[in-house]
Amino acid sequence: MQKSSAYLGLIYTLLLASSAFLEVLSSITQVPIKLPKDKVTGSPRPDDEPRLISHEVETYIHSLLSTHSSPGLAVAVVLKDPSATVGFRHQLLGAGNARTSLFPPVPVTPDTLFAIASNSKLFLALSTGLLISNHSLNVQWTTKVATLIPEWGLDDPVASQEATILDLLVHRTGMPRHDFAGAPLEGGVPTMISQLRYLRPSAPFRSTFQYNNMMYETISHLPKHLLNVSFEYFVNQHIFKPLGMNASTYNVEEAEARRYPPDYIFSDSLDARTISADHATESIPVMAEGHQYSLRDFYLKERGELRPTVPYFQRPGEERVWAGAGGILTSVRDMVPWLSTLLNGGIVPQTNITLIPPEVLNRLETGVMVTEGKAAYPEFSPKVYGPAQWRYAYRGHEIIEHGGNNPGFKTQIARLPNLVGKIPLFPNATGLGIAVFSNDADGGPVLEGVKFRIIDDLLRLEEIDWYSRFVNDTEVYYAMKRRMAIPRPQDPQPPPRPISTLQDYSFEHPAYGLLQPCFVPPRPPNSQNSSSTQAHDFLRRGESSANRVQSCAAFLQHPTTQLLLSQSTVADIPTLVIPFHRTFATHLRLTHWSGPWFNLTVVWGNHGEHESKDEKNRILIGLDERFEVEWVTYEEEEGLAFRGGIWGMEGPDATAPKERGKKGAEVWFAKV
């Protein structure tokens, strides 16, 4: 159990052109990449030309990958410099490995595709601005969502009626994250929107900042509602194509099908290598593998084992709901025209076409919500959040940025727009953009360290070891979590009914879905009739009570379930396991604490269509986050009250319920 129900997020969670505009692909659907041979290497440049990524910084990048045991990193640095061709310079770097499930590993290149996660949000915010700039649609930032989207509704009647487009984009609806409610729904985004009304708020409307991905997913429905085109199509036509961002896509199947051409050169200036003849070059995937620490549990000081997430955590067709909040797959090469246009006032440098109207860019770059009223470090200012971007000062220089975090990937895209006369090597430069992509779920300290080292190096500031700072802060955070954990009583009180009877019940929440618990006997049956196919079906759709015993027997034998049960610290603690097919979860594990209280672990494993055929690539994550469940039998409505931070509350004015029973539930699953 936890001493506090406040949500504990990772302390280092990320907040948030000369030849740069060459076409990386001839069309968004083609498979092989075709690039000029002089553009396919990482970072070599003429010796007499100043570098945006210095030799010292490049050495530092490789050293961080080694120190952190991190697989790979891709970097793009863009400089607005009127003395350069088309007014921009850029440098690209790939370091480390993109895919480690192959031997030899496939290196990271400037064209490696990464999941940029929440850095996709700025593309949604911009697409919304483009809709607003189309005056025939009669939509404004202050237009109420209830007047636009019929499916819209929230539990708070004030927020439901009054929330505007801007409210959703700056996370001030009063809704906590509720990330575990997210799922690849058959009805897509409209179904997700229709379920929002069943999610409990944790703060009054417009009272505090609370990050919520589902608000961005909601806004992604506007192109369909207003123009009868999909959000993905709208972004492709109005952003990707005009910028020449031809490698960028929302389509997982398309990204996974991409292959390097036979003449592609896999090298960078410090780590030049060629692909072994064991790999036919044309068969080498362009998309990176994300990496996560399987079986990590900081409560037990278990670091786990870094493994590739094979395949990508979302399978083709599952990514549609997630597109607006975090669905883009792209390369650092595609970040060059994106950052250049943002630094150029919304004008595409190569074509001189205005992609982003000035009033839209101004709205996107203006902070609305204070997210950090006090500076986190002496070198920072307080932070504000506008649509899809944080804004703050670093050592006196303004930064506009956002982070991204998908399973196995971390990204950071930042720009410093006001640097006139501040970069000694490039005295005419006025702005700087940096994109750093990592295929390591724990890569936050690495990419933040790289970002700030590039800034310090170019601005000739005294170097600060940001990497060590973030690593130390992470250790402090998990030490705090261990201190807050309360051990199970030596003489726990019995539950209100035998725990095994929970297998006879079903519980349901309209947005979080159906729970059908499976009791774990002291010695799980080793049934030869159980099958992974049968278990997978149970994971996806649930079973009637008549088939529950058979289905639970199969489910308990499923490899991911067995891996989860093998991590129980005390074998004789009564335990239940529940299939829970959501975007960021596959299983729930309830272990009895005392009386009606259970410890809850929400985990994700690559089961079913996610399942790796190679056992060494099987992954189980989530053991280091723990929540609480109360089995409520004493009220008129019986159910399970989930609490302890599972809803993702944050913000100084948000509050967790303090009552017991249904009123104290962050998420209430009623018995059905």
Side-chain angles (χ1 to χ4, degrees), residues 658-669:
K658 295 179 172 55
E659 301 94 334
R660 286 189 58 186
K662 183 177 180 180
K663 288 184 178 180
E666 298 166 1
V667 183
W668 172 254
F669 288 87

Side-chain angles (χ1 to χ4, degrees), residues 173-212:
T173 64
M175 285 273 285
R177 281 180 173 264
H178 282 296
D179 278 342
F180 290 126
L185 302 167
E186 289 186 8
V189 173
T191 299
M192 183 280 300
I193 297 172
S194 70
Q195 295 177 351
L196 293 174
R197 67 192 72 234
Y198 303 111
L199 299 175
R200 185 170 183 172
S202 59
F205 178 53
R206 290 181 181 163
S207 66
T208 196
F209 175 90
Q210 290 194 102
Y211 199 89
N212 186 290

Side-chain angles (χ1 to χ4, degrees), residues 14-78:
L14 305 181
L15 305 176
L16 304 188
S18 62
S19 60
F21 296 91
L22 60 92
E23 289 192 354
V24 179
L25 304 173
S26 61
S27 76
I28 199 163
T29 58
Q30 89 167 70
V31 174
I33 293 178
K34 296 190 180 301
L35 293 167
K37 289 188 177 181
D38 63 339
K39 300 300 177 188
V40 298
T41 58
S43 57
R45 303 172 67 85
D47 291 338
D48 59 348
E49 183 179 343
R51 295 165 55 96
L52 298 176
I53 304 174
S54 68
H55 290 291
E56 292 77 14
V57 170
E58 194 169 352
T59 301
Y60 174 73
I61 291 172
H62 285 271
S63 71
L64 279 192
L65 291 180
S66 177
T67 299
H68 201 71
S69 300
S70 195
L73 206 70
V75 182
V77 180
V78 175

Side-chain angles (χ1 to χ4, degrees), residues 469-524:
R469 281 193 183 184
F470 286 121
V471 168
N472 291 337
D473 287 346
T474 304
E475 292 174 353
V476 169
Y477 164 72
Y478 280 109
M480 176 189 68
K481 291 186 69 171
R482 285 190 290 270
R483 289 195 302 271
M484 293 178 67
I486 303 175
R488 187 177 191 237
Q490 291 185 352
D491 187 20
Q493 296 298 307
R497 298 179 193 146
I499 291 176
S500 61
T501 62
L502 278 167
Q503 183 168 296
D504 300 329
Y505 307 147
S506 295
F507 303 86
E508 190 167 23
H509 182 280
Y512 278 76
L514 181 69
L515 302 185
Q516 294 187 315
C518 290
F519 177 68
V520 180
R523 297 181 183 277

Side-chain angles (χ1 to χ4, degrees), residues 543-556:
E543 286 290 340
S544 65
S545 58
N547 298 322
R548 183 76 66 86
V549 173
Q550 182 179 2
S551 296
C552 279
F555 176 59
L556 292 175

